[in-house]
Amino acid sequence: MEREYDVVVIGTGVAGSDIAWHCGDAGMEVAITDQQEYGGTCALRGCVPKKVLVGAAEVVARVRDQQGNGIRGEVSIDWPRLVAFEHTFTDPVPRRKEERFRKVGVQTYYGPARFTGPDRVAVGGDTLTARYIVIATGAHPRPLGVPGADLMTSSDDFFSLEALPERIVFIGGGYISFEFAHVAARAGAAVTILQRSGRVLSGFDPDIVDRLVLASEEIGIDVQVNMPLLSIEKNADGLLVRAGKEGKEKIFEADMAVHGAGRVSAIEHLDLAAGKIETDRRGIRVNEYLQSVSNPAVYVAGDANPTSPQLTPVAVMDAHIVVDNIRNGNARVADYSVVPSAVFTTPPLASVGLTEEAAKERGIPCIVHAGDLSGRFTNRSIGEKHSRYKLLIERGSRRILGAHLIGHHAEEVINVFALAIRHNLTADDLALDAIPWAYPSNTYDIIHMVHPLARK
């Protein structure tokens, strides 16, 4: 059956859902489809369930860090009950999504979509034509192309493990591996992270990352660099993971190998050529309006957009840009210059703005404020000994250009610095004389970052 719409959205994650809902609420005829359960990565296989697992790991970490400081007795994670609790967040999502769509008149479809022309897609036995088609299909694990790759467990499937294996090897040294590794280690697993290059978490400041690596190793995580994956095979005891550079290969025994080596746009099933949609090695080619450069009827948002960081708040921002450009003509452009990001380990790591290396490459004269906040009572009182910071302050103007943090509530404090960078605030704008930050708090510690000699 052929049906006509104003907008057809492919994908029901945060980007696709927001676009469909806002366009439908504005009175447009909208359809949406997904080949998986409605909800997308963040709600079902990403941020939300991850934070539930991380929350449990944080409790264990806090209790262990406080041993001998007035706290006694151990706590442990009951993995099956934790996963059951996690599912109370994820299981209701598909139904709630569908109900919300129906309230604004969005027509829901199920199954993979593929282009059959520049303005039409096929979903099952239906052909949907539209003035605009939005690709918001998210991302999936990057194909690794090594023997035995099919033996890996995806990061998606990690959330549904009925039991936690005793030995886990995480492939890749990015935020997915580190976050899961901290959870698994604090739940009692023996954990190894294998990174193909010499640096883990390469998008973050290396000095702050080094501190996270130290904190990870202290809880038993074995972080191995220069270990590209070569193969995975089964044996009687589990898996043999072979990795390393020529002449320096190692075998790691494991009960499970988890794919944490990056994700790429999930667009290969869409038959983009039939839609006259140009691609390059990164994915769909889009302009500054998030519109296909070759087919003006098509927009791309969220993780399917190869120009944007794969982060939920960015996907939401993409969605709002696409909605405005569909409804009002191309007027809003994407700007990813200030995007805070966090690694939800314990302690968490967070970053926004320029790194020291990037500032040097651009020839920007900077003052670097870096230091240790573990002696501050906000951290010492909870046993947090890995709190560090690095700020980049432009010489002369004293504008904040970058902030890199590790420590308790770093994922919250980083948002203050993101706001400062966005609005060209200076170090002096964040000082105690300018703002009497709530005290005692980790945010108050900002005054010790912008003016390291400050005392309280």
Side-chain angles (χ1 to χ4, degrees):
M1 185 177 296
E2 188 161 323
R3 302 167 186 255
E4 294 185 4
Y5 295 93
D6 294 312
V7 181
V8 169
V9 181
I10 307 172
T12 59
V14 290
S17 294
D18 271 17
I19 292 165
W21 193 88
H22 285 295
C23 287
D25 193 49
M28 304 177 80
E29 293 292 328
V30 180
I32 193 167
T33 187
D34 205 317
Q35 64 179 348
Q36 299 189 73
E37 283 187 306
Y38 275 32
T41 298
C42 179
L44 299 178
R45 302 174 293 276
C47 317
V48 173
K50 172 189 73 179
K51 203 63 169 69
V52 176
L53 301 185
V54 167
E58 286 176 346
V59 171
V60 173
R62 289 281 79 84
V63 170
R64 291 176 181 173
D65 289 346
Q66 287 286 69
Q67 292 296 309
N69 295 330
I71 299 297
R72 64 183 180 186
E74 280 289 329
V75 295
S76 61
I77 290 175
D78 183 329
W79 188 264
R81 288 194 176 186
L82 175 59
V83 171
F85 178 54
E86 168 215 311
H87 279 283
T88 66
F89 293 84
T90 57
D91 288 353
V93 169
R95 176 181 53 80
R96 290 175 183 170
K97 286 271 187 181
E98 294 176 47
E99 289 175 352
R100 192 175 186 220
F101 289 141
R102 290 179 183 131
K103 284 181 180 178
V104 294
V106 173
Q107 182 68 47
T108 53
Y109 289 85
Y110 307 90
R114 60 181 178 83
F115 280 85
T116 57
D119 63 347
R120 62 186 57 211
V121 295
V123 181
D126 295 309
T127 296
L128 316 181
T129 63
R131 287 195 295 149
Y132 301 103
I133 299 172
V134 181
I135 298 172
T137 46
H140 58 57
R142 180 188 303 276
L144 297 183
V146 300
D150 59 314
L151 296 173
M152 285 189 293
T153 299
S154 73
S155 55
D156 296 352
D157 292 337
F158 187 85
F159 292 113
S160 298
L161 293 177
E162 294 181 358
L164 188 70
E166 292 183 3
R167 303 168 300 171
I168 306 176
V169 170
F170 289 93
I171 309 301
Y175 69 93
I176 292 174
S177 290
F178 268 87
E179 290 170 345
F180 283 163
H182 272 242
V183 172
R186 288 192 167 90
V191 176
T192 301
I193 294 175
L194 303 181
Q195 167 63 18
R196 66 174 296 109
S197 68
R199 276 186 59 187
V200 297
L201 294 166
S202 58
F204 295 86
D205 179 88
D207 294 331
I208 300 298
V209 169
D210 285 348
R211 198 67 197 190
L212 178 59
V213 171
L214 177 60
S216 303
E217 291 173 341
E218 286 184 357
I219 63 170
I221 298 173
D222 182 13
V223 180
Q224 297 268 342
V225 297
N226 294 313
M227 284 289 163
L229 178 66
L230 300 174
S231 67
I232 303 175
E233 59 185 78
K234 283 185 177 180
N235 70 358
D237 296 322
L239 299 175
L240 296 178
V241 180
R242 188 165 62 94
K245 296 186 176 181
E246 188 174 352
K248 297 182 179 180
E249 299 175 7
K250 291 184 179 180
I251 300 292
F252 300 88
E253 297 181 351
D255 300 304
M256 176 177 288
V258 179
H259 188 316
R263 296 168 69 86
V264 294
S265 300
I267 56 174
E268 63 281 344
H269 65 282
L270 295 174
D271 197 356
L272 297 173
K276 300 189 182 306
I277 301 165
E278 289 185 14
T279 61
D280 57 24
R281 63 180 182 82
R282 296 188 305 165
I284 298 170
R285 293 186 60 217
V286 296
N287 60 24
E288 65 269 33
Y289 305 109
L290 305 186
Q291 182 183 43
S292 164
V293 298
S294 57
N295 182 349
V298 171
Y299 287 84
V300 186
D303 289 355
N305 169 16
T307 67
S308 71
Q310 291 182 344
L311 298 169
T312 294
V314 175
V316 173
M317 183 172 72
D318 278 2
H320 294 172
I321 291 169
V322 168
V323 169
D324 287 349
N325 289 340
I326 286 175
R327 292 179 58 187
N328 306 314
N330 287 347
R332 287 191 63 185
V333 299
D335 177 4
Y336 307 120
S337 60
V338 183
V339 178
S341 57
V343 183
F344 288 91
T345 45
T346 306
L349 178 153
S351 177
V352 68
L354 295 180
T355 62
E356 191 174 1
E357 181 181 6
K360 288 178 180 178
E361 289 175 355
R362 299 185 190 186
I364 301 174
C366 288
I367 301 167
V368 177
H369 286 188
D372 180 350
L373 292 174
S374 58
R376 291 282 304 153
F377 85 88
T378 45
N379 294 303
R380 183 167 170 258
S381 63
I382 60 171
E384 178 51 75
K385 62 181 181 179
H386 293 292
S387 183
R388 300 290 189 279
Y389 69 91
K390 180 185 286 187
L391 300 187
L392 274 69
I393 301 169
E394 187 175 38
R395 194 177 297 277
S397 73
R398 290 185 55 77
R399 287 188 306 134
I400 304 290
L401 298 180
H404 311 279
L405 315 174
I406 183 172
H408 192 52
H409 287 159
E411 79 283 12
E412 303 289 351
V413 177
I414 201 66
N415 292 312
V416 175
F417 288 109
L419 192 66
I421 294 171
R422 170 62 74 190
H423 294 284
N424 293 314
L425 300 185
T426 69
D428 301 317
D429 291 326
L430 301 182
L432 182 61
D433 289 345
I435 302 175
W437 300 107
Y439 182 87
S441 68
N442 289 100
T443 303
Y444 184 91
D445 289 343
I446 285 175
I447 68 168
H448 295 270
M449 303 181 207
V450 297
H451 292 300
L453 299 180
R455 291 288 181 268
K456 174 63 181 178

